[in-house]
Amino acid sequence: MHFSNAFSQLILDLPSEHQGHAIQYSKFKGLIDEVVLELSSMGLSPLILHDLLESSTNYSGLSLSAESPLRANRSSRVLYEFQEKSGKIEPRLRLFTDSTFANFSVFPSGETTNEVVVPLVSDKAFFQALSNDLELISAHLDTVHSDFVQTLHVLSRTIGDSARPSSSTSLFQPYSSSRPTLMCMPSIGNKNDLYAWREIFRLYMEAEVFESMGETSRGALTVEESERRLKLFADRISQRGLAEFGDGHQLNLKQSHDALETFLGMILLIQNIKKFQLANLEATKKILKRHAKKTALPELFFAEDGRQISPLAILPPANMSLPRTLAQAITNLLMPIIPHLDDYSCLICTGVAFKPIRLNCGHVFCVRCLVKIQKRGTDPCPMCRSPCVLQANKANVDWALLNFIHDWFPVEVKEKLKFDEEEAAKEDLTELGLDPNQRCLVM
């Protein structure tokens, strides 16, 4: 299949809002033909132009074709230049010669000249059309970015409302040493989807849909690999009963179900933007390559300072980092909505910091782990070695953090309480000289 057909099919497979903003690939064939006609009308057919351009880099020892009128004058050469005025590319040819060339209409008839600058009107129209298409793409992507961020903010509020515990406090001061005034936030009945959203976000982070964080494979993923991981993520959501709400499913609230559909749609949008950008970038490269092949004009311009520059460096940028920017926005704006257990765990037992004690050095431990350290008479903090463990008492209880942990990790708190009670009972038996693992034989 020719690239033109493949490109058209790929664009048609994207959502309709992207289709009208893609490069109009088919029109550039005609524009390139017009450039060839303009050059030929000046006596600069592709064959002749090729020989001239070759002389710009090696004109002291040319091997010109038999048909070239330059065969008799090996000192002639040409440079393909560009000017930028008001942001527009204006290509031109700068021709150098030491003799008269009647065969070239660009040189004044009967005159001898050393240099002439030839504006390329059709080539300017070609690059202007390409610039216009790329500017439309850039404007479209700016709009997509703006709409995406707005939707993300609305989604973050929706998820926050559906996941917030009914007893959550609005004043969370993690370094507070006194009991804070509790201010209940509005909730939806007695139900919330805290643990469902925590699972959804966990699965999303594990999927690494757009960028791998592995040590051996760190970096952006290909479109094909992102497609595979996105499907895997959606399948896991469905398998865990997170795609529906109501009895027998993890989602309790319809607004959570709607928010999940929006969330999945935003991830799919990033994938489609990635496809859209790569397709248009490839189309641009193909157009420039065809331009160079048909006209014999080189793929690089000469700037006024002598540097050689690719047209891709001059044309409006494609903003290829946008998919990564959008994916980072999801991570930065959505993921923090649901507190992660690792951020509120005891630094010793790694479980939730049940009844958290904040030492004077600022490190937090659950009360049971701290009591064990104090019983051993160990004073240095396990993290920073500051001598403050034996000084800790009830005044070191972080009440704000305690309330926060109870609100956002109720299941983990319940499990930790049960574990601590069982462990305390075993310690009591051990102190009495009894084996806590031995079953009672009294009938």
Side-chain angles (χ1 to χ4, degrees), residues 280-339:
N280 282 286
L281 178 60
E282 184 63 21
T284 303
K285 290 179 179 179
K286 291 283 188 182
I287 289 168
L288 292 173
K289 194 171 186 67
R290 181 181 180 87
H291 172 272
K293 182 178 179 180
K294 294 282 289 185
T295 64
L297 293 169
E299 296 186 39
L300 297 176
F301 287 119
F302 272 97
E304 293 179 352
D305 58 5
R307 293 177 298 115
Q308 283 191 291
I309 301 177
S310 167
L312 284 175
I314 309 169
L315 292 166
N319 191 11
M320 296 303 293
S321 64
L322 181 58
R324 187 169 186 266
T325 300
L326 299 182
Q328 287 178 337
I330 287 181
T331 301
N332 295 336
L333 292 177
L334 283 190
M335 300 301 113
I337 292 174
I338 309 297

Side-chain angles (χ1 to χ4, degrees), residues 142-282:
D142 287 343
T143 301
V144 169
H145 188 188
S146 177
D147 292 345
F148 186 93
V149 173
Q150 290 182 19
T151 303
L152 200 56
H153 281 292
V154 174
L155 181 62
S156 67
R157 290 193 293 270
T158 302
I159 295 175
D161 289 342
S162 64
R164 183 181 295 116
S166 59
S167 61
S168 65
T169 61
S170 62
L171 296 178
F172 170 46
Q173 300 172 337
Y175 294 96
S176 172
S177 59
S178 59
R179 293 177 181 270
T181 301
L182 299 184
M183 297 181 63
C184 292
M185 299 292 289
S187 63
I188 307 169
N190 294 321
K191 293 182 178 181
N192 67 60
D193 286 319
L194 169 61
Y195 281 89
W197 279 110
R198 184 169 287 151
E199 177 70 0
I200 290 169
F201 287 170
R202 183 187 69 81
L203 292 173
Y204 174 73
M205 295 303 292
E206 286 182 355
E208 296 183 342
V209 176
F210 301 108
E211 186 171 3
S212 174
M213 301 305 293
E215 293 184 4
T216 59
S217 59
R218 184 180 297 272
L221 301 174
T222 63
V223 169
E224 293 75 18
E225 180 61 17
S226 291
E227 193 91 30
R228 187 188 71 81
R229 294 192 182 198
L230 176 55
K231 184 178 185 306
L232 184 62
F233 168 64
D235 289 343
R236 287 176 177 172
I237 289 290
S238 179
Q239 291 167 4
R240 283 165 172 75
L242 292 165
E244 301 294 338
F245 74 98
D247 295 340
H249 299 284
Q250 293 191 43
L251 291 178
N252 295 309
L253 307 170
K254 185 180 185 302
Q255 75 175 66
S256 288
H257 174 261
D258 295 340
L260 177 58
E261 288 191 346
T262 301
F263 179 51
L264 293 173
M266 296 180 80
I267 299 172
L268 182 59
L269 171 62
I270 298 176
Q271 178 69 358
N272 285 331
I273 287 295
K274 195 170 182 177
K275 291 180 181 179
F276 177 78
Q277 284 188 308
L278 290 174
N280 282 286
L281 178 60
E282 184 63 21

